[in-house]
């Protein structure tokens, strides 16, 4: 009789509703030389959230470093693609397919030179704004209709090229404020995951520091 009991039990578990999954992807470049660069602020936000939620980012899948946890009634999956920025779409599309993530449950975090340093901007969709990692994701998914959190890193000074600027580390003055920005961005991800993009936009769009 014992096997029948476990068989019924297993069938009952399988019939229960599945937990809704949220996929949060931070964009950046792998490698120590890029770790503290402006282009890696997406990685930094994911690392901040992983630290706050005690998520171990140790699994490698779909060419990304991933980790997961429960966030109230949701399954939260964190990912840092290891494909280099310009090919981020390869990893993201694979993760979306593997976890069967609806596009409305995907949030991509990236740096943005068109936003001043210390400004956060959430949007439910839109173009790449010239960000090559975002463009790669749009091309691979075949849609622009997924949420994104843009973290302002400011324009390059003088005649410095944007490509060189984003691969440089934050200045000492910026690093003093970066920890606060990352915590605010991580909280924005929590609100998005639990309450949706509209509430997150209302609460977090704008400068982190009052002027």
């Amino acid at each position: 009789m014992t096997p029948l009991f476990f068989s019924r039990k297993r069938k009952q578990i399988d019939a229960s509703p599945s937990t809704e999954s949220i996929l949060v992807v931070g964009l950046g470049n792998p490698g120590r030389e890029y770790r503290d660069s402006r282009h890696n602020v997406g990685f930094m936000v994911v690392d901040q959230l992983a630290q706050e939620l005690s998520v171990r980012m140790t699994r490698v899948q779909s060419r990304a470093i991933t980790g997961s946890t429960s966030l109230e009634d949701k399954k939260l999956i964190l990912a840092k693609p290891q494909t280099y920025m310009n090919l981020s779409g390869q990893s993201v599309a694979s993760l979306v397919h593997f976890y069967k993530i609806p596009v409305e449950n995907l949030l991509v975090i990236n740096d943005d030179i068109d936003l001043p340093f210390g400004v956060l901007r959430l949007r439910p969709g839109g173009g790449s704004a010239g960000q090559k990692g975002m463009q790669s994701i749009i091309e691979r998914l075949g849609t622009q209709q997924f949420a994104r959190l843009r973290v302002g890193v400011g324009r390059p000074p003088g005649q410095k090229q944007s490509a060189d600027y984003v691969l440089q580390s934050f200045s000492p003055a910026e690093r003093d404020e970066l920890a606060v920005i990352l915590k605010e961005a991580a909280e924005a991800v929590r609100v998005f995951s639990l309450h949706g993009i509209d509430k997150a936009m209302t609460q977090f769009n704008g400068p982190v520091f009052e002027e």
Side-chain angles (χ1 to χ4, degrees):
M1 295 300 293
T2 302
L4 290 176
F5 172 80
F6 282 111
S7 177
R8 293 194 191 102
K9 187 73 170 179
R10 188 178 297 112
K11 185 174 183 180
Q12 184 178 3
I13 292 174
D14 290 344
S16 63
S18 60
T19 302
E20 183 180 10
S21 295
I22 307 293
L23 174 61
V24 175
V25 179
L27 300 188
N29 286 310
R32 294 181 57 129
E33 66 269 35
Y34 301 114
R35 184 175 57 191
D36 298 322
S37 71
R38 294 177 177 86
H39 224 18
N40 275 34
V41 75
F43 278 9
M44 296 177 194
V45 175
V46 166
D47 287 338
Q48 175 69 35
L49 191 58
Q51 179 182 351
E52 293 177 5
L53 298 176
S54 299
V55 177
R56 296 181 62 193
M57 300 290 293
T58 55
R59 184 177 181 183
V60 179
Q61 63 176 136
S62 300
R63 303 182 71 184
I65 296 173
T66 69
S68 62
T69 189
S70 295
L71 189 62
E72 295 188 11
D73 61 338
K74 310 288 178 66
K75 178 179 181 180
L76 180 64
I77 303 158
L78 304 178
K80 299 189 296 181
Q82 302 294 293
T83 55
Y84 288 96
M85 180 72 76
N86 294 2
L87 301 175
S88 299
Q90 295 178 2
S91 175
V92 175
S94 180
L95 289 167
V96 167
H97 176 75
F98 179 82
Y99 287 106
K100 298 180 174 59
I101 303 292
V103 289
E104 62 269 21
N105 286 6
L106 169 65
L107 175 66
V108 178
I109 309 166
N110 66 279
D111 62 293
D112 194 317
I113 62 171
D114 291 326
L115 291 177
F117 177 74
V119 171
L120 302 180
R121 185 71 52 79
L122 289 127
R123 286 288 182 267
S128 67
Q131 216 279 356
K132 293 184 178 179
M134 187 66 69
Q135 184 60 40
S136 174
I137 295 170
I138 290 170
E139 291 172 357
R140 286 282 178 160
L141 292 181
T143 180
Q144 299 180 353
Q145 299 308 308
F146 56 88
R148 64 282 310 272
L149 168 58
R150 295 153 55 199
V151 181
V153 298
R155 301 290 303 180
Q159 300 299 313
K160 184 181 290 293
Q161 294 295 313
S162 299
D164 296 327
Y165 174 71
V166 295
L167 293 179
Q168 292 180 342
S169 298
F170 288 97
S171 70
E174 289 171 333
R175 284 197 293 270
D176 289 341
E177 298 180 334
L178 184 59
V180 178
I181 295 168
L182 295 179
K183 288 180 180 179
E184 189 78 354
E187 185 61 23
V189 175
R190 287 186 194 236
V191 171
F192 165 81
S193 301
L194 294 174
H195 305 293
I197 186 67
D198 290 338
K199 184 168 184 177
M201 287 192 300
T202 299
Q203 188 170 342
F204 293 97
N205 277 356
V208 172
F209 303 99
E210 295 183 4
E211 297 180 1

